[in-house]
Amino acid sequence: MSYDYIIIGAGSAGCVLANRLSENPKHRVLLLEAGGRDSNPWIHIPVGYFKTLHNPKTDWCYKSEADPGLNNRALDWPRGKTLGGSSSINGLLYIRGQKQDYDQWRQFGNTGWSYDDVLPFFRKSERHELGDSDYHGGDGGLSVSLMRARRDICEAFIDAAVEMGVPRSDDFNGARQEGAGYFQLTARNGLRCSAATAFLRPAKTRKNLEIRTGAHTQSLVFSEAAPLRATGVRFRVNGRSETAEINEGGEVILSAGAIGSPQILELSGVGQSQVLADAGIDVRHALSGVGECLQDHLQIRLVYEVNVPTLNDEINNIMRRMGIGLQYILSRKGPMSLGASQVCVFARSMPELDTPDIQFHFQPLSADKPGLEMHPFSGITSSVCQLRPDSRGHIHIHSPDPAMAPKIVPNYLSAASDRLRAIRAVRFARAMTRTEALNPYIVREHVPEKVPESDEDHLEVARNYSQTIYHPTSTCRMGPDEQAVVDERLRVHGIQSLRVADASIMPAIVSGNTNAASIMIGEKASDMILADRKN
């Protein structure tokens, strides 16, 4: 079979692309997803990420290399292994980032990617609970709802941030990001709204859209004649190799994410010559930026025992846990309708900064890390991350076998500026527990175990207790420079009929959770692809 568009990866951006590119019945579209269908019921229950994270049926269960910046700890790197990609197993938190993030993308030389350019695409995809406004869309596919759960300990955390000089906020995706308040969720009527729910479900009955799950891409196919041009995709389904081709004027779009997209390029002979040689792959097209410039948000998770009941008490008690389940079945409300965090704080770790440089994810529960058993006491988690890390890592293959996971080298805290921000972030977080609003609830500090005093002590807290917050980006970054992989229209440099459209193209990571931005990238990519075809 031949197609007008072959999309590799049914994640946040890929689902949008599949929907928009198949709206015209004349366009034949193939969507390839290496994972399975999103039929696991836990995918659709908001709190179900506790069951889907670290589950090899729904999570690729990647693991980073031992990282010197984290005292040689290796971290779990969950990625969605299902329709919807990571939007099917994430924490449902809807954050776009700061206006300045996108204006900086434009300043890097990427025409059409300023905040004013991308805001219409955020609005296009969104169906906000409060309807259409200057900053929000009211009739898009992605449902965005307000947080309804309120607890005294959550209010105390917000009040503590206000005591620290942070204004209260009702909308982090509006005119100003800085503030303390409740997250907005990609959910509707107590159910998760993944990219698959929002964009694939309305389109899956179209006769011109073919969705293949369990289709593991082996490599891209290129023309033999110059100039180099993508002509199709080789993939395996149930142990059998297949090839799909594109029609004249068609395109292959890589939307496999910050891990999968550079991996597929390298498996196809596109990347750094030495990396390819070491993996036993012939160089088809040398492109030094493939797999480089990796960024991620590193969250430093501080845990406290408190003197009021939290979700730990409810989940650890079998009768109360059954009551939570019954409440959700009957009303789609209660703890099972919650996202991964309830309270968000965007703050400046130094008052002289122009915009927030740290973000808090607050949870009225505690565990050693998400997806594991709760602590046996009433606990809260104050998780803080630095929004714009300067440290850069890389992701590269080390084998010609597509089933072999690439090596993930984040290089966390390798930049001196990141180490200083980590110190300030931990100091800020611990200072919040000494405020009049929050201190009366605190019984003891559970993490870190030893009270830090010096800057080096606080840095050790970051090295020993931090985890990824699941936001890998920038491994196929957009730009005109030598480390860029795609241009401002997401076309791979030096290769015709091939684009990348996912979080890997971010020139720099956005200041916040990355799912909303990934969906926007899918929207804008679709618009550009259709415009280029028309022209």
Side-chain angles (χ1 to χ4, degrees):
M1 300 295 294
S2 60
Y3 303 85
D4 295 289
Y5 302 107
I6 300 175
I7 304 161
I8 303 174
S12 298
C15 288
V16 177
L17 284 156
N19 182 303
R20 303 305 185 197
L21 297 181
S22 66
E23 284 179 337
N24 186 336
K26 295 181 179 179
H27 296 161
R28 185 168 178 81
V29 180
L30 173 64
L31 177 62
L32 299 174
E33 168 55 43
R37 296 272 171 183
D38 57 340
S39 55
N40 185 323
W42 285 110
I43 288 174
H44 304 286
I45 299 171
V47 81
Y49 65 89
F50 276 107
K51 296 289 187 179
T52 55
L53 286 175
H54 318 302
N55 180 347
K57 293 182 179 180
T58 51
D59 177 1
W60 286 106
C61 298
Y62 292 115
K63 203 174 188 73
S64 75
E65 299 295 298
D67 197 310
L70 305 184
N71 288 334
N72 291 316
R73 289 187 299 126
L75 302 185
D76 293 329
W77 267 43
R79 292 283 90 193
K81 189 181 179 182
T82 177
L83 291 177
S86 295
S87 76
S88 291
I89 68 169
N90 70 5
L92 294 85
L93 309 178
Y94 186 79
I95 295 289
R96 297 175 179 173
Q98 296 172 5
K99 175 182 185 296
Q100 292 82 354
D101 296 333
Y102 303 100
D103 289 343
Q104 184 186 49
W105 289 10
R106 174 62 185 89
Q107 291 170 2
F108 287 153
N110 298 299
T111 304
W113 289 89
S114 71
Y115 180 74
D116 288 342
D117 292 321
V118 302
L119 179 59
F121 295 102
F122 278 116
R123 296 181 66 249
K124 179 181 180 181
S125 67
E126 186 183 23
R127 182 186 296 272
H128 197 278
E129 180 180 336
L130 299 181
D132 190 75
S133 68
D134 289 344
Y135 291 98
H136 293 284
D139 57 3
L142 184 71
S143 295
V144 176
S145 61
L146 304 179
M147 184 83 67
R148 286 177 170 73
R150 297 287 192 272
R151 286 175 177 259
D152 289 344
I153 193 68
C154 292
E155 290 292 328
F157 194 83
I158 294 172
D159 291 341
V162 172
E163 276 191 54
M164 298 284 291
V166 181
R168 180 136 189 168
S169 175
D170 293 324
D171 186 4
F172 302 111
N173 302 303
R176 182 184 186 188
Q177 186 194 63
E178 184 175 17
Y182 291 94
F183 276 104
Q184 296 174 6
L185 303 178
T186 50
R188 186 178 185 183
N189 297 328
L191 294 171
R192 173 192 294 274
C193 187
S194 68
T197 302
F199 302 103
L200 272 193
R201 185 175 291 174
K204 67 180 182 180
T205 58
R206 295 173 185 166
K207 294 182 179 180
N208 61 321
L209 173 62
E210 184 178 348
I211 302 170
R212 301 286 300 274
T213 55
H216 202 133
T217 297
Q218 308 293 288
S219 68
L220 305 174
V221 180
F222 298 105
S223 61
E224 294 301 326
L228 190 61
R229 181 173 67 89
T231 61
V233 180
R234 238 178 243 107
F235 59 97
R236 291 181 70 84
V237 179
N238 296 324
R240 184 183 64 188
S241 293
E242 298 187 35
T243 300
E245 298 179 348
I246 55 172
N247 300 321
E248 184 176 354
E251 296 192 47
V252 176
I253 305 121
L254 263 174
S255 294
I259 299 175
S261 288
Q263 179 187 20
I264 292 169
L265 286 173
E266 291 180 341
L267 288 169
S268 307
V270 179
Q272 293 182 32
S273 299
Q274 191 60 55
V275 169
L276 299 179
D278 290 345
I281 292 180
D282 294 334
V283 178
R284 177 58 70 97
H285 179 62
L287 203 54
S288 62
V290 174
E292 293 293 321
C293 303
L294 170 66
Q295 289 187 278
D296 183 32
H297 287 137
L298 184 70
Q299 60 174 332
I300 306 163
R301 293 171 54 82
L302 307 181
V303 175
Y304 298 88
E305 182 179 355
V306 294
N307 56 17
V308 292
T310 65
L311 285 173
N312 289 19
D313 304 277
E314 298 173 32
I315 294 171
N316 288 335
N317 182 297
I318 187 169
M319 296 303 296
R320 299 181 73 179
R321 188 162 68 242
M322 291 172 62
I324 290 173
L326 184 61
Q327 180 185 18
Y328 182 77
I329 291 171
L330 295 177
S331 66
R332 292 286 186 267
K333 296 179 181 179
M336 289 185 69
S337 67
L338 298 177
S341 298
Q342 283 69 60
V343 173
C344 178
V345 177
F346 285 104
R348 291 173 288 160
S349 65
M350 296 190 299
E352 58 267 32
L353 296 176
D354 292 332
T355 61
D357 65 328
I358 57 175
Q359 178 188 7
F360 285 86
H361 291 71
F362 175 80
Q363 303 160 315
L365 56 83
S366 67
D368 288 334
K369 60 181 177 180
L372 299 183
E373 291 183 1
M374 302 297 173
H375 289 139
F377 52 81
S378 302
I380 60 172
T381 302
S382 173
S383 175
V384 61
C385 72
Q386 46 187 299
L387 290 173
R388 293 178 296 280
D390 292 320
S391 301
R392 298 290 189 276
H394 54 82
I395 294 176
H396 292 301
I397 62 171
H398 55 97
S399 164
D401 183 0
M404 291 284 290
K407 287 188 176 180
I408 300 169
V409 181
N411 287 333
Y412 292 120
L413 302 176
S414 56
S417 56
D418 289 348
R419 296 193 291 273
L420 292 174
R421 274 191 289 266
I423 292 168
R424 297 200 303 266
V426 176
R427 287 191 179 279
F428 192 105
R430 298 184 69 245
M432 287 181 67
T433 66
R434 297 191 291 271
T435 59
E436 292 183 7
L438 190 56
N439 185 254
Y441 294 92
I442 303 297
V443 175
R444 66 181 178 90
E445 194 170 45
H446 180 70
V447 173
E449 296 175 356
K450 182 181 178 181
V451 176
E453 297 179 357
S454 66
D455 281 355
E456 187 58 36
D457 291 342
H458 284 80
L459 180 57
E460 281 300 296
V461 172
R463 294 192 192 280
N464 291 328
Y465 298 105
S466 54
Q467 298 286 339
T468 173
I469 206 166
Y470 323 130
H471 296 164
T473 70
S474 309
T475 49
C476 296
R477 61 186 294 273
M478 171 175 58
D481 58 276
E482 62 182 17
Q483 282 290 294
V485 176
V486 300
D487 66 13
E488 76 279 359
R489 298 192 76 77
L490 307 187
R491 299 170 297 203
V492 175
H493 289 301
I495 304 179
Q496 295 182 3
S497 305
L498 178 62
R499 303 197 203 214
V500 181
D502 54 36
S504 72
I505 66 94
M506 292 185 187
I509 194 169
V510 294
S511 302
N513 309 71
T514 53
N515 180 242
S518 298
I519 289 172
M520 177 276 292
I521 289 168
E523 290 280 17
K524 185 164 174 59
S526 304
D527 188 77
M528 292 189 295
I529 290 168
L530 293 173
D532 288 350
R533 187 181 184 94
K534 183 178 181 180
N535 293 333

